[in-house]
Amino acid sequence: MNSAGPANPGSDKAPVRVLVADDQAAVRDGLVTLLDLDPQITVVAEAADGKQALDAVAAADPDVALMDLHMPGMDGIEATAQITAHHPRTRVVVLTTYADDASIHGALQAGALGYLTKDSGREDIARAVIAAAAGQSVLDGEIQRRLVSAATAARPTPVPEAASPAPDNLTVREVEVLRLIAAGRSNAQIAAELYVSEATVKTHINHLFAKAGVRDRAQAVRYAYRNGLVG
């Protein structure tokens, strides 16, 4: 495990500081070794359960917590919720063997910014950690397809807004954009899905962020789940 030190040579940007939380020592050691191979990442703490993860976040202040879900004592979902509530600067990326709906929705509702399965490759895991540190939501390809399918299935036939008012006076189109953000879509993908320009998508995002009182996509995802706008 690297100690928190200066940025890698030739770069002015400090490496992303990561906590690895997994109850299996062999898996945890493997992840630490894997992440330390990337000069853009440094592992600053490890944890074997959710309570240890919460304590390590408080002590080490990592940029990202790479979190297993099913651990003894405090599980990864509860730890994610506690980190999100008390240490919001630390982004949580779930890395687990479980891809069932309850685990996915539980983690995202708790505030996880990313969700990967343990069959993800080294580059995918490193990319997710770096993206999360920048506030970007990263989802495993299969997870993203399932969420997009759920969001699409949940999208009702357009009806007058008065018949089913959205929270904070969001328009139908703003809700559509929010659902696609929650499904992990980029601005370009949302534009293609809705047959509008990226500039129009950015305008919708600015409006819905202002109405919902959120600052970034991570908060928008939590807002969407909290208000039942995605299943």
Side-chain angles (χ1 to χ4, degrees), residues 27-85:
V27 173
R28 193 168 63 250
D29 291 345
L31 287 171
V32 170
T33 300
L34 177 155
L35 291 171
D36 276 341
L37 292 174
D38 193 313
Q40 299 178 84
I41 297 171
T42 183
V43 177
V44 297
E46 300 178 39
D49 58 40
K51 179 61 168 59
Q52 288 184 16
L54 189 59
D55 291 343
V57 167
D61 190 31
D63 301 306
V64 177
L66 191 61
M67 183 77 65
D68 188 22
L69 285 187
H70 293 265
M71 297 184 290
M74 182 187 292
D75 65 16
I77 291 178
E78 177 61 23
T80 296
Q82 292 289 333
I83 291 169
T84 300

Side-chain angles (χ1 to χ4, degrees), residues 9-222:
S11 172
D12 294 330
K13 188 174 183 180
V16 176
R17 304 172 73 256
V18 179
L19 156 73
V20 175
D22 196 295
D23 63 324
Q24 297 183 44
V27 173
R28 193 168 63 250
D29 291 345
L31 287 171
V32 170
T33 300
L34 177 155
L35 291 171
D36 276 341
L37 292 174
D38 193 313
Q40 299 178 84
I41 297 171
T42 183
V43 177
V44 297
E46 300 178 39
D49 58 40
K51 179 61 168 59
Q52 288 184 16
L54 189 59
D55 291 343
V57 167
D61 190 31
D63 301 306
V64 177
L66 191 61
M67 183 77 65
D68 188 22
L69 285 187
H70 293 265
M71 297 184 290
M74 182 187 292
D75 65 16
I77 291 178
E78 177 61 23
T80 296
Q82 292 289 333
I83 291 169
T84 300
H86 300 292
H87 306 280
R89 198 193 75 78
T90 298
R91 313 288 190 171
V92 178
V93 173
V94 168
L95 181 65
T96 182
T97 56
Y98 299 89
D100 58 284
D101 289 346
S103 295
I104 296 167
H105 293 160
L108 294 178
Q109 287 175 329
L113 189 57
Y115 197 111
L116 301 176
T117 57
K118 285 184 177 176
D119 57 1
S120 299
R122 178 179 68 84
E123 292 183 356
D124 291 331
I125 296 173
R127 189 181 305 117
V129 165
I130 293 168
Q136 300 172 11
S137 178
V138 179
L139 302 173
D140 176 89
E142 178 58 29
I143 303 299
Q144 180 167 325
R145 284 190 289 273
R146 290 174 65 173
L147 287 175
V148 169
S149 176
T152 301
R155 187 183 303 162
T157 301
V159 295
E161 290 186 57
S164 181
D168 299 309
N169 294 316
L170 295 182
T171 67
V172 172
R173 180 47 60 93
E174 287 164 358
V175 171
E176 288 180 319
V177 170
L178 181 57
R179 284 173 172 162
L180 291 173
I181 289 174
R185 294 295 184 92
S186 67
N187 286 3
Q189 290 171 324
I190 294 172
E193 175 83 12
L194 300 180
Y195 301 100
V196 297
S197 70
E198 285 191 56
T200 298
V201 171
K202 290 178 181 178
T203 297
H204 287 313
I205 290 174
N206 288 338
H207 288 168
L208 75 88
F209 276 22
K211 290 180 181 180
V214 301
R215 296 189 305 273
D216 54 34
R217 296 173 89 93
Q219 290 186 354
V221 171
R222 291 194 288 273

